[in-house]
């Protein structure tokens, strides 16, 4: 029994060395998120080209509050009803709510960038978010529409907070 335990321990150790045992924020072994500061230049260039006057959050995310809103402020467990359009920095729209439709999510189940930015406005508010790739889909990307390590831009209206 002791030999079996030692063999298992050695095998586990070799596996961890081979994979480096590292995971990123997306809990994916084998890829590395782009450092947040490395995305800053691309995000600021996008902001300039699109007449966005961003504020830098301490996290490294950039945002511009268009309308602050007057309703409730979201907390991590809030249901947030939103309209939005998500864009790659090359201008490709990868997702949006349909015209006249909204989407509802629990804030703590959304990408980190939304979790940081949405509480900066109240219900009825609108915000433009320039999100470093590490706070979006990181080194994994999302399906075929968002390549790995892609910083993202969202124009979002917080319709309601529940």
């Amino acid at each position: 029994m002791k030999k079996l335990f030692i063999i298992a321990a050695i095998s586990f150790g070799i596996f961890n060395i081979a994979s480096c045992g590292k995971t990123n924020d997306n809990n994916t072994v084998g890829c590395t998120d782009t450092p947040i500061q490395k995305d800053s230049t691309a995000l600021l260039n996008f902001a300039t080209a699109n007449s966005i006057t961003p504020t830098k959050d301490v996290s490294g995310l950039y945002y511009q509050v268009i309308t602050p809103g007057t309703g409730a402020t979201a907390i991590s467990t809030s249901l947030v009803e939103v309209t939005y359009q998500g864009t790659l920095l090359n201008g490709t729209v990868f997702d949006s709510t349909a015209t006249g439709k909204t989407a509802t999510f629990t804030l703590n189940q959304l990408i980190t960038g939304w979790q940081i930015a949405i509480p900066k406005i109240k219900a009825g508010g609108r915000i433009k978010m320039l999100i470093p790739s590490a706070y979006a889909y990181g080194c994994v990307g999302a399906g075929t529409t968002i390549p790995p390590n892609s910083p993202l831009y969202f124009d979002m209206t917080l319709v309601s907070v529940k």
Side-chain angles (χ1 to χ4, degrees):
M1 184 70 168
K2 208 177 215 181
K3 284 184 184 181
L4 183 60
F5 177 77
I6 292 171
I7 292 170
I10 291 170
S11 297
F12 181 75
I14 291 170
F15 175 77
N16 275 343
I17 291 168
S19 68
C20 298
K22 295 180 182 177
T23 62
N24 59 18
D25 289 340
N26 295 312
N27 294 318
T28 304
V29 174
C31 70
T32 303
D33 289 341
T34 298
I36 292 163
Q37 62 275 14
K38 189 172 179 184
D39 284 337
S40 288
T41 300
L43 291 168
L44 290 172
N45 287 341
F46 181 87
T48 299
N50 291 278
S51 302
I52 298 168
T53 307
T55 298
K56 185 177 183 180
D57 182 74
V58 295
S59 67
L61 175 141
Y62 293 91
Y63 67 95
Q64 181 182 3
V65 174
I66 305 302
T67 309
T70 57
T73 301
I75 61 171
S76 66
T77 56
S78 296
L79 282 175
V80 293
E81 182 183 10
V82 298
T83 61
Y84 68 93
Q85 179 172 298
T87 308
L88 299 175
L89 298 190
N90 67 8
T92 301
V93 175
F94 60 83
D95 193 18
S96 66
T97 50
T99 304
K101 302 289 183 183
T102 62
T104 302
F105 308 100
T106 303
L107 184 58
N108 64 12
Q109 295 178 350
L110 296 170
I111 61 172
T112 303
W114 279 39
Q115 292 179 43
I116 294 167
I118 288 175
K120 296 184 179 306
I121 59 173
K122 297 178 182 295
R126 180 176 165 218
I127 191 168
K128 294 182 178 188
M129 301 177 269
L130 298 156
I131 302 177
S133 59
Y135 293 150
Y137 298 97
C139 64
V140 178
T144 58
T145 57
I146 301 173
N149 292 315
S150 294
L152 303 176
Y153 165 68
F154 287 93
D155 188 334
M156 193 269 304
T157 299
L158 182 56
V159 176
S160 70
V161 176
K162 299 172 186 151

